[in-house]
Amino acid sequence: MPAVNSQPRRAHSGNRRDEAARLAVLHAADDLLVEHGFGALTIEAIARRAGVAKQTIYRWWPSKVEILLDTLIEDSDKRLSVPTEHPTAETIRDYLRGFARFLGDDPAGKVLLALIAEAQHDPATAASFHQRYLGPRREQERDLIARAIDAGEVSPRLGPDDTIDALVGPIVYRALTGSSIPHELVDTLVEDLLRPRSA
Amino acid sequence: MPAVNSQPRRAHSGNRRDEAARLAVLHAADDLLVEHGFGALTIEAIARRAGVAKQTIYRWWPSKVEILLDTLIEDSDKRLSVPTEHPTAETIRDYLRGFARFLGDDPAGKVLLALIAEAQHDPATAASFHQRYLGPRREQERDLIARAIDAGEVSPRLGPDDTIDALVGPIVYRALTGSSIPHELVDTLVEDLLRPRSA
Amino acid sequence: MPAVNSQPRRAHSGNRRDEAARLAVLHAADDLLVEHGFGALTIEAIARRAGVAKQTIYRWWPSKVEILLDTLIEDSDKRLSVPTEHPTAETIRDYLRGFARFLGDDPAGKVLLALIAEAQHDPATAASFHQRYLGPRREQERDLIARAIDAGEVSPRLGPDDTIDALVGPIVYRALTGSSIPHELVDTLVEDLLRPRSA
Amino acid sequence: MPAVNSQPRRAHSGNRRDEAARLAVLHAADDLLVEHGFGALTIEAIARRAGVAKQTIYRWWPSKVEILLDTLIEDSDKRLSVPTEHPTAETIRDYLRGFARFLGDDPAGKVLLALIAEAQHDPATAASFHQRYLGPRREQERDLIARAIDAGEVSPRLGPDDTIDALVGPIVYRALTGSSIPHELVDTLVEDLLRPRSA
DNA sequence: GAATAAGCGAGACGGTACGTCTCGTCTTACT
DNA sequence: AGTAAGACGAGACGTACCGTCTCGCTTATTC
């Protein structure tokens, strides 16, 4: 019986990693998180949803956190890039508004919140999350602020990291407590912290 | 440490709720969280550590989150009370400094962070956490700000909730990302947000 | 709604071992072995079939072999008891005929064969099988032969263990190779080995 | 130890079946069985040990049982041939002694026991084992007995198959139960069963 | 002062997910 | 065409907790 099955199931990629399986896992994880929350995000559920064997997940990811990090980094690069040119107060304000929208409306924002949360529960998650996501992004944000200062566009009284946390902190905290983030809040933060009276 | 009667295990209280068991559970939960993290905080581990039957826990608490909430509320009332008199900018600054210390150094601060985190993972936790902790505390904080404004001590450009989140957000975010919170950050937030130039 | 469900599920026995679960496991194991062979005899399949949690099996049995041993010992005591009185050549012959029937026709005989087999694959099985089944049974058989000799009923040229193995070996070997065991074979063995010419 | 070409891993043969791979698999299977028992005899372990790809095994053998059968048949032909000339009672006795030694001391004896065992667990093994090993060997043994009877050397009261099983059964059973097989046992079986008093 | 009722330690139970292992199939790249 | 390599879907392994349950005991409170 020489294989006359009409649908060839999936064109298994042989020796190399199966890109279709990789994407199926990332999407399954994302969907499950958004639809049923982090509690429903088990490796078994992801495998089931993705139509993939558990071992395929364990072969490529050490934990479900790394799966989420993969999706977050991809989505984040796509839809929340740190501006690299023309750093003015407005540029920064627009970036923060985009960040607020990302956290509130984008499914990937839920992933970010879940990772912030899981990092509290598990030190390994914290380490990976800082190294792979928070660190690099902070690097870019520091650069943004530094260039805006150099150009005389803004003059915060705090150091770069303190400034960024003062701007980003309220937005994240609002998202964590399930509240909306109005433009007014973001705008006033930018005005009061980046262009204070005494400057 | 009362009731150190060595002989007959524990003199157990018969008909009424056993206060010793209640305290043992609260302390066990606290200790486990601080020592081994939220991941190690299972009902079975709490029962084991507290020397209590699982059923005794389930009889009085619907979930481990409620145990943590109980400890948090007690500790929070004791060591982080919202000031009720003399509302000045300094009062508010000191409260925020105390909050930063609570989050950074106090074991109970770890409980608060864990609950913020768990609230992201589970809607029931979020509801209970808001209703039993965040809501009441926010009420007091709103009152604090309102009285300070009335007394002409501060004049924030944002509404009360926005103002509080703008002050508290950075502190929480710093704690969530494992960074320290210097006085300078808190002080500058108070100055820039509560006494802005245009006021 | 104070529990008006008509079937009370199962009257869980509380603190004590649940006899119904124990029997369900034994029967499930027996059934699966007979119906689908040793290969289908997994702990998961037994649990599924018995309507029992896996952990309930692991709590009481260290391996599936011990489950089979439990069923074998119970069935064996019931349907293949070594005769304890009137030891004559005919008694022995009847016992061996019973043994042949047990191996060939009784489901429990399949269990015995499976355990002989598994003992070849796994030393732990071998140890347990000898200690719990083969040893005690051999003790009784030795006693049977010894009393028959004392009474002058039989006079084998071999020692007790050699004699028993010479009688039992062909029966077991026949069963292992899937052949039938005619009375003639058993009878001739008894005649030639227990009442040899030179005695 | 042939083929110790140290340099380019193995000079692998391209188009034709690789004899070195075939032998490596057979030896690996044999070694693993003797060293770690049937439980450790997985296809993956054989491939690992033989330094061969799994697929190479699956291409040539339908199951690990067939690998064992290949080794058993080769070893059995070499070291346990059924005598073809001078069939006397002594010839038969010596053959049985050799069989006992094979089962007890020869590594290939462990293979035979493992296959007898596995045949209990899996019908496909049973079929193959009977067809490729037990059947042909029984054919030769029947012939041996028949010629001995024709020559008047022995006169068993049982038919050929019953006689052979009566002789072989105890030896196999002893091996299966891990006991030694003394010459005395073999000799007495031959005497009592092949030259009974009434013949 | 006996009966009742509730809390308690203990732990069995049916489940679900964990992370690991091996199965047998497959595809690729090399010889 | 045979091979080494190894990814893949499948599913069992033995463990840890989940939340529910029943037991046997202890200790007030009630009749």
Side-chain angles (χ1 to χ4, degrees):
Chain A
M1 211 193 292
V4 205
N5 49 347
S6 42
Q7 319 112 284
R9 311 197 62 140
R10 182 172 337 155
H12 226 160
S13 44
N15 209 356
R16 297 247 177 285
R17 177 166 187 181
D18 185 342
E19 177 68 8
R22 189 187 135 260
L23 290 175
V25 168
L26 293 183
H27 292 149
D30 219 342
D31 293 355
L32 283 172
L33 183 72
V34 170
E35 287 172 28
H36 302 103
F38 191 86
L41 197 70
T42 66
I43 298 281
E44 303 226 318
I46 296 171
R48 218 145 44 216
R49 173 90 163 221
V52 139
K54 250 196 315 178
Q55 188 54 42
T56 297
I57 297 182
Y58 283 109
R59 184 162 21 241
W60 300 108
W61 291 277
S63 72
K64 62 188 173 188
V65 160
E66 299 294 323
I67 303 175
L68 289 181
L69 263 174
D70 278 7
T71 75
L72 175 60
I73 288 168
E74 276 188 30
D75 291 348
S76 203
D77 283 352
K78 249 179 273 170
R79 297 202 287 281
L80 187 64
S81 54
V82 179
T84 51
E85 314 240 354
H86 304 305
T88 67
E90 283 70 39
T91 310
I92 295 171
R93 190 200 62 195
D94 289 350
Y95 170 63
L96 290 173
R97 284 182 180 180
F99 187 60
R101 200 184 324 109
F102 184 74
L103 278 185
D105 303 340
D106 197 303
K110 300 277 169 283
V111 175
L112 176 50
L113 292 176
L115 285 171
I116 291 174
E118 192 59 13
Q120 309 307 310
H121 289 166
D122 172 32
T125 295
S128 199
F129 180 51
H130 278 77
Q131 192 191 322
R132 296 189 58 201
Y133 186 78
L134 286 187
R137 178 155 289 265
R138 174 55 52 106
E139 208 63 53
Q140 295 180 281
E141 290 167 343
R142 256 197 296 258
D143 194 54
L144 177 69
I145 295 285
R147 282 181 294 111
I149 293 174
D150 282 354
E153 294 280 343
V154 301
S155 49
R157 298 169 60 205
L158 290 162
D161 277 316
D162 284 357
T163 301
I164 298 167
D165 285 336
L167 293 168
V168 163
I171 297 172
V172 170
Y173 186 64
R174 275 284 168 110
L176 287 170
T177 52
S179 311
S180 64
I181 302 139
H183 280 182
E184 185 201 356
L185 172 56
V186 174
D187 296 356
T188 306
L189 285 172
V190 169
E191 286 165 22
D192 282 1
L193 293 169
L194 294 186
R195 301 175 144 177
R197 68 185 153 193
S198 66
Chain B
M1 212 193 293
V4 202
N5 48 350
S6 44
Q7 257 134 14
R9 312 199 64 139
R10 188 181 325 161
H12 116 226
S13 47
N15 211 351
R16 291 251 181 279
R17 177 167 187 180
D18 185 342
E19 177 67 7
R22 189 186 135 261
L23 290 175
V25 168
L26 293 182
H27 291 151
D30 220 342
D31 293 353
L32 283 172
L33 182 73
V34 170
E35 286 171 29
H36 301 103
F38 191 88
L41 197 71
T42 67
I43 297 281
E44 305 228 318
I46 297 172
R48 217 147 43 217
R49 172 91 164 221
V52 141
K54 255 200 310 179
Q55 187 56 37
T56 299
I57 298 182
Y58 282 110
R59 191 174 359 254
W60 300 109
W61 290 276
S63 72
K64 64 186 172 189
V65 160
E66 300 294 324
I67 303 176
L68 289 181
L69 264 173
D70 279 7
T71 75
L72 174 61
I73 288 168
E74 269 187 39
D75 292 347
S76 202
D77 284 352
K78 246 179 278 170
R79 296 203 286 280
L80 186 66
S81 54
V82 181
T84 51
E85 316 243 353
H86 302 305
T88 67
E90 284 68 38
T91 311
I92 296 171
R93 190 200 61 193
D94 290 350
Y95 170 63
L96 291 173
R97 284 183 180 179
F99 186 60
R101 201 183 324 111
F102 184 74
L103 278 185
D105 303 340
D106 197 303
K110 300 277 168 284
V111 176
L112 176 49
L113 293 176
L115 286 171
I116 292 175
E118 191 59 13
Q120 308 307 309
H121 289 165
D122 171 33
T125 295
S128 199
F129 179 52
H130 278 76
Q131 191 191 323
R132 296 190 57 201
Y133 186 79
L134 285 187
R137 177 156 289 265
R138 175 54 54 105
E139 207 65 53
Q140 296 179 280
E141 290 165 344
R142 258 198 297 256
D143 195 53
L144 177 68
I145 294 285
R147 283 181 293 112
I149 292 173
D150 281 354
E153 294 280 343
V154 301
S155 50
R157 299 169 60 205
L158 291 161
D161 278 315
D162 285 356
T163 300
I164 298 168
D165 285 335
L167 293 168
V168 162
I171 295 172
V172 171
Y173 186 63
R174 274 284 168 109
L176 287 169
T177 52
S179 311
S180 63
I181 303 140
H183 280 182
E184 185 200 357
L185 172 56
V186 174
D187 296 356
T188 306
L189 286 172
V190 169
E191 285 166 21
D192 283 1
L193 293 169
L194 295 186
R195 304 173 143 181
R197 69 182 155 199
S198 66
Chain C
M1 210 195 290
V4 205
N5 49 348
S6 42
Q7 320 111 282
R9 309 200 60 141
R10 181 166 344 152
H12 229 164
S13 43
N15 210 355
R16 295 249 178 284
R17 177 166 188 179
D18 184 343
E19 177 69 7
R22 191 188 134 259
L23 290 175
V25 168
L26 293 182
H27 290 150
D30 219 341
D31 293 354
L32 283 171
L33 183 72
V34 170
E35 288 172 27
H36 301 103
F38 191 87
L41 198 70
T42 66
I43 299 281
E44 303 228 320
I46 297 171
R48 219 147 41 218
R49 174 89 164 222
V52 140
K54 252 198 313 179
Q55 189 55 45
T56 298
I57 298 182
Y58 284 110
R59 181 158 29 238
W60 298 109
W61 291 277
S63 72
K64 62 188 174 189
V65 161
E66 298 295 323
I67 303 176
L68 289 181
L69 263 173
D70 278 7
T71 75
L72 175 60
I73 288 169
E74 275 189 32
D75 291 349
S76 201
D77 282 353
K78 248 180 274 171
R79 297 202 287 280
L80 187 64
S81 54
V82 179
T84 51
E85 313 241 355
H86 302 304
T88 67
E90 282 70 37
T91 310
I92 296 171
R93 188 199 62 195
D94 290 348
Y95 170 64
L96 290 172
R97 284 182 179 180
F99 186 61
R101 201 185 324 109
F102 184 75
L103 277 185
D105 303 341
D106 198 302
K110 299 280 170 280
V111 176
L112 176 49
L113 293 176
L115 285 171
I116 292 175
E118 192 59 14
Q120 308 308 308
H121 289 165
D122 172 33
T125 295
S128 198
F129 179 52
H130 277 77
Q131 190 191 324
R132 296 190 57 201
Y133 186 79
L134 286 187
R137 177 153 290 262
R138 173 55 51 106
E139 208 64 51
Q140 295 180 281
E141 289 166 344
R142 257 197 296 257
D143 193 55
L144 177 69
I145 295 286
R147 281 180 295 111
I149 293 173
D150 281 355
E153 292 282 342
V154 302
S155 49
R157 299 168 59 204
L158 290 162
D161 278 316
D162 285 356
T163 301
I164 298 167
D165 285 335
L167 293 169
V168 163
I171 296 172
V172 170
Y173 186 64
R174 274 283 168 111
L176 288 170
T177 52
S179 312
S180 64
I181 303 138
H183 279 183
E184 187 201 354
L185 172 56
V186 173
D187 296 357
T188 305
L189 285 172
V190 169
E191 287 167 20
D192 283 2
L193 292 169
L194 295 185
R195 303 175 143 178
R197 69 186 156 194
S198 67
Chain D
M1 213 194 293
V4 203
N5 47 349
S6 43
Q7 258 134 11
R9 316 199 61 147
R10 188 183 322 160
H12 107 232
S13 47
N15 209 347
R16 290 250 183 282
R17 176 166 188 181
D18 185 341
E19 178 67 8
R22 189 187 136 260
L23 290 175
V25 169
L26 293 182
H27 290 150
D30 220 341
D31 293 353
L32 283 172
L33 183 72
V34 170
E35 287 171 29
H36 301 104
F38 192 87
L41 199 71
T42 68
I43 298 281
E44 307 229 317
I46 297 172
R48 217 146 42 217
R49 172 90 164 220
V52 142
K54 254 198 316 178
Q55 187 56 38
T56 300
I57 299 181
Y58 281 111
R59 193 177 353 259
W60 300 108
W61 291 277
S63 73
K64 64 187 173 190
V65 161
E66 298 295 324
I67 303 175
L68 288 181
L69 263 172
D70 280 6
T71 76
L72 175 62
I73 288 168
E74 270 186 38
D75 292 347
S76 201
D77 282 353
K78 247 180 276 172
R79 297 202 287 279
L80 187 66
S81 55
V82 181
T84 51
E85 314 245 354
H86 303 304
T88 67
E90 282 70 36
T91 309
I92 295 171
R93 189 200 62 194
D94 290 349
Y95 170 64
L96 292 173
R97 285 182 178 180
F99 187 60
R101 200 183 325 109
F102 183 74
L103 278 185
D105 303 340
D106 197 303
K110 299 279 169 280
V111 176
L112 176 49
L113 292 176
L115 286 171
I116 292 175
E118 191 59 13
Q120 308 308 308
H121 289 165
D122 171 34
T125 294
S128 197
F129 179 53
H130 277 78
Q131 192 191 323
R132 296 189 56 202
Y133 186 80
L134 285 187
R137 176 155 292 263
R138 173 56 52 106
E139 207 65 51
Q140 295 179 282
E141 290 166 343
R142 257 197 296 256
D143 193 55
L144 177 69
I145 293 286
R147 282 181 294 111
I149 294 174
D150 282 355
E153 293 282 342
V154 300
S155 49
R157 298 168 61 206
L158 289 161
D161 278 314
D162 285 356
T163 301
I164 298 168
D165 285 335
L167 293 168
V168 163
I171 295 171
V172 170
Y173 186 64
R174 275 284 169 111
L176 288 170
T177 52
S179 312
S180 64
I181 304 138
H183 281 180
E184 185 200 357
L185 172 56
V186 174
D187 297 355
T188 306
L189 285 172
V190 169
E191 286 166 22
D192 281 3
L193 293 169
L194 294 184
R195 302 174 142 178
R197 70 185 153 195
S198 68

